[in-house]
Amino acid sequence: MTEPSSVAIAAPTIETPGIVTIGETPAKAPKGYTSALAAVSFGMYLALLTPIMVSLAFKVKHISATPAAATSSLGLVMGVGSLFALLANPLAGRLSDRTTSRWGMRRPWILGGSVVGTGALALMGMAQSVWVLLVGWCLVSVAMNAVLAAANATLPDQVPAAGRGKVSGIVGITTALGILAGSFLVNLLDNDTARFVVPGAIGTALAVLFVLVLKDRRLEDKPAQRFTTREFLGSFVFNPVKHRDFAWTWLTKFLVMFGYAGVATFLPFYLTEKFSLDEKSAISTILLANVASMAAMMVSGPVGGILSDKVGKRRPFVAVAGAVMVVGLTLLAIAPNVTTVIVAQAVIGLGAGSFFSVDLALATQVLPNPEDTAKDLGVLNIANALPQAIAPAIAPAIIAVGAATPLGGYTTWYLFGALIALAGAVLVYRIKGVK
């Protein structure tokens, strides 16, 4: 099993409160780090996923003339916003690797991104046109992904490779918790503005907590090379021939995430159109579905991470997790009633919890350059962001084609996603440097 080498310049020494100079990775995670990382991850997923799961779809519906216009507008906003996320995450990661602030390499990005993102969420809540909503979502995508890029980069900074499965498993739960908390908040809030602002405000508060707890690394000397256009473009690419394992990890994540990306975005429309639910009933159903999904993820996330550490293998856990998600997507596609939709979400959550936790641990062991950790994790995050741009963009066309068949539009869409995810679950075994 290959592991990324730690940066060994000097032994870590405390310079100012909350700051350590760059040195070897600690023998174990610093006290309070894991819970604080989980908190900021929860906050960011709450702020990002609440619009994706519920708020954005109904906001678009409120300002659109017809259901067809709402579907197209939602695909546009989600697709373009995800493209901005795709660019922001690796770029912010690369810049955080080069940040020489006396406050550390990661903390300025975490705090600044959360504040900007919350302001953009407020703009979305007050928007009365699709174009204002689009601008707001692009800003949110850039800002919150900058936070996630910097926060995720602290994992290899702070935790030795042998313990990353456990930490990433705990952090993996925050996706489910963010979804559940967002669904619960939207169920309580009737005002569009509050549905966007409240999750963002909570996310910012937790980002502040993480910044206060984090003993961030500080880069004492500015990088010898300037940040050129070539280096900027290099933030989004890597050599797939030279780094084959990293390339297969990227492709595996992309394919599984493609299958997963379209579920949340169009679930509100799926419920209102296929099962004739009104908005309040649809929101309540989404809440129940997310409770089931979260319960499953809370079990599979940490269990998958801990077992993969103990067994010393990553690939089997990633493959099985992807296959379980495929089963859930198929069940969702053919669901005859709302109860089956809830069960399908639980199955998807069972697979997703293990996939997110173990996949992150696997990824940290195939990074091309240990000195560009955040940049490389940002490139890998493109595999998360790109499907979220492509899936909503092509979904309206696939749904429209499917609507003309006996299967129906949304059944066709979810079955298509299941096939793509299945390919990802199989291709994980092309990764050779990790068991």
Side-chain angles (χ1 to χ4, degrees):
M1 183 182 301
T2 59
E3 298 178 356
S5 303
S6 60
V7 180
I9 297 177
T13 56
I14 301 297
E15 296 289 339
T16 58
I19 296 289
V20 297
T21 57
I22 291 181
E24 296 180 357
T25 302
K28 62 179 181 178
K31 185 177 180 180
Y33 168 77
T34 301
S35 57
L37 177 62
V40 73
S41 297
F42 165 76
M44 291 305 101
Y45 286 125
L46 174 66
L48 274 171
L49 296 180
T50 300
I52 292 173
M53 295 296 296
V54 188
S55 307
L56 189 52
F58 287 119
K59 178 68 176 183
V60 169
K61 188 175 182 180
H62 294 161
I63 61 178
S64 297
T66 66
T71 300
S72 297
S73 296
L74 182 61
L76 173 67
V77 173
M78 285 296 301
V80 175
S82 295
L83 285 175
F84 274 79
L86 183 154
L87 297 174
N89 196 287
L91 178 58
R94 169 60 67 90
L95 291 175
S96 77
D97 282 335
R98 300 172 59 90
T99 296
T100 56
S101 166
R102 70 190 189 93
W103 300 107
M105 299 170 66
R106 319 298 184 190
R107 296 201 295 187
W109 296 92
I110 293 169
L111 183 59
S114 62
V115 172
V116 172
T118 298
L121 284 168
L123 175 66
M124 294 179 67
M126 296 182 288
Q128 295 301 313
S129 74
V130 171
W131 298 110
V132 174
L133 204 60
L134 174 61
V135 171
W137 186 239
C138 290
L139 288 173
V140 170
S141 298
V142 169
M144 297 305 189
N145 272 278
V147 177
L148 287 171
N152 285 339
T154 65
L155 178 60
D157 285 352
Q158 305 284 330
V159 184
R164 291 174 195 165
K166 179 181 177 180
V167 175
S168 61
I170 294 171
V171 173
I173 299 174
T174 62
T175 304
L177 290 174
I179 291 171
L180 177 60
S183 301
F184 180 76
L185 284 174
V186 172
N187 203 44
L188 295 177
L189 302 171
D190 294 328
N191 181 273
D192 274 339
T193 301
R195 288 177 176 179
F196 286 93
V197 172
V198 172
I202 294 173
T204 297
L206 293 176
V208 170
L209 173 65
F210 183 62
V211 164
L212 293 174
V213 170
L214 179 65
K215 293 180 179 178
D216 198 4
R217 301 196 312 171
R218 184 166 70 188
L219 188 63
E220 295 288 356
D221 299 318
K222 293 183 178 180
Q225 296 182 340
R226 297 182 61 186
F227 192 63
T228 62
T229 301
R230 181 177 180 179
E231 189 170 1
F232 167 77
L233 296 175
S235 300
F236 311 103
V237 297
F238 63 97
N239 188 331
V241 176
K242 184 178 179 181
H243 305 290
R244 292 179 182 273
D245 282 348
F246 188 71
W248 286 115
T249 301
W250 193 98
L251 183 59
T252 296
K253 182 185 288 287
F254 172 86
L255 294 173
V256 174
M257 285 304 301
F258 185 97
Y260 188 74
V263 176
T265 302
F266 293 95
L267 188 60
F269 292 168
Y270 182 41
L271 292 171
T272 56
E273 294 181 23
K274 181 173 182 177
F275 302 106
S276 302
L277 300 183
D278 58 28
E279 182 173 321
K280 187 172 181 61
S281 297
I283 292 174
S284 297
T285 300
I286 292 171
L287 175 59
L288 290 174
N290 290 335
V291 169
S293 179
M294 185 208 71
M297 291 182 79
M298 287 186 69
V299 173
S300 64
V303 169
I306 293 170
L307 285 178
S308 72
D309 280 346
K310 186 169 293 188
V311 175
K313 294 183 179 181
R314 309 293 190 197
R315 295 185 305 174
F317 291 92
V318 172
V320 171
V324 171
M325 292 172 67
V326 170
V327 172
L329 284 166
T330 303
L331 188 60
L332 180 63
I334 62 176
N337 50 51
V338 170
T339 300
T340 307
V341 171
I342 295 172
V343 173
Q345 285 287 82
V347 175
I348 293 171
L350 188 67
S354 183
F355 179 83
F356 293 146
S357 63
V358 182
D359 177 71
L360 178 58
L362 184 154
T364 63
Q365 294 178 235
V366 296
L367 298 178
N369 186 352
E371 294 184 2
D372 282 330
T373 296
K375 176 261 182 182
D376 291 332
L377 286 174
V379 170
L380 190 64
N381 194 66
I382 293 175
N384 279 333
L386 190 58
Q388 295 174 53
I390 295 175
I394 68 174
I398 294 177
I399 292 170
V401 171
T405 70
L407 287 176
Y410 288 102
T411 296
T412 302
W413 170 242
Y414 289 130
L415 286 176
F416 179 75
L419 288 173
I420 299 297
L422 180 60
V426 172
L427 289 176
V428 70
Y429 280 97
R430 299 291 296 182
I431 302 169
K432 302 301 182 182
V434 178
K435 294 181 180 179

